[in-house]
Amino acid sequence: MAVNVVVGQSSTTSTVSTSTSLTTSPTTTSAPATTTTETAQGTFPATPLASKRFTYPSGIPYKVDTDDNLVRGSQLGYNICNSTTEGTGSMCQTSFLNSLDDFCLWAPPDPNSTVGDVEGGMVAWCTKPGHGTRLIPTGALTGVQFTRAPAYVSIVGFIDQTKINLAAGDWGGEMDPHGADLRGNPLGGLLFTNAFGDSNTTFTQAIEWHNFIGADFFCLKACDPSDSNDKRYCEHIFDRIGCAYNVPNNAQNGTFESCLADNQDFPGIYTENGEVKTYTQPAESLGAISTMPYTAKVPSSSECVQVKSADVYAVGGSTTSGTGTTAATGSATGGSGVGASRTSGSSAPTGSSASGSENGARGLVLPGSMALVGVISAVLMM
């Protein structure tokens, strides 16, 4: 979520009284006052994005969001994507998180953009061809950690964000399938993964997910819809405290690895002196978050496999502006991927501390202006 999106406006009706003078003869009479009812532009869709279900590849409409009459307007891109839409002008808004070498990030369609200005119109940028999207340029990713936990998969890393059209120095924000108006950011954005299926060609729609990007850092988590706590692992209410608290991690710049891990504690839940506590994010109107009452614990990981960047990100696109206009009619294909094997595992108890590092990797990504200096010094460079 970002600070300058038009949200929170509800449908209203206004009554306008008009008086018209009619002259039909030398005798002038006044027409009776009339009342008209005008319906203001609405905010909320009939069906929230997170309540829409689709199968990949055959069950996706050209556009998921068809509520063109609402405050934020129309969905910018499209959801049916394949080789006809792939490339530098793609406006594909169907994304994937499969493995270390096969994932997408939400980023702007035009250069030098900020998350706060364009979160509703982000498009998919992927690491490999085959999804009908734009491609993350070779060399943009400088360190990535893919993690497979029992309840979710996540990807966290370092990136030269200017190579995917984010302005240098933008501290970013959050994309998720909710948004204050329930249409999602981006509008109509879908996320699929083959991490929860029995094969690399079986894709599951991640109903709950969140993606933070900014300050040359990113994190994306897709929660397993079969897990009863998917909404809690992929919370969307902590948009101001970024990756370190929403996706605690051990990502290192210069390292590319895939790991198995325990589940993290739910975002916002922590244990202090044996007492389980819940963090409440303050309203943005109260100013910068200068301190945090806890440090999110990184869940323990195992079976980490490191690879060379050139071995997994050999193909990349280039940065460009432009809007794609080709409507795809087919489907993209899945790949085998480089990732930790699928396993079942035990979760860290809710609210209790998972074993592992006390200290999350860099990644507090906050929307809004950089008046948030206090948070950076206190938390960002943990």
Side-chain angles (χ1 to χ4, degrees), residues 123-142:
V123 297
W125 292 70
C126 302
T127 56
K128 62 168 34 179
H131 299 306
T133 67
R134 301 187 186 207
L135 297 177
I136 297 174
T138 301
L141 297 165
T142 59

Side-chain angles (χ1 to χ4, degrees), residues 216-258:
D216 289 329
F217 198 81
F218 68 87
C219 58
L220 169 63
K221 185 198 299 168
C223 288
D224 189 341
S226 69
D227 190 288
S228 60
N229 288 312
D230 64 332
K231 292 181 179 180
R232 300 199 66 186
Y233 284 117
C234 283
E235 278 284 10
H236 60 279
I237 60 174
F238 298 112
D239 59 315
R240 302 182 66 202
I241 57 176
C243 291
Y245 288 85
N246 286 278
V247 194
N249 61 88
N250 279 320
Q252 301 296 322
N253 204 2
T255 300
F256 300 83
E257 65 179 1
S258 181

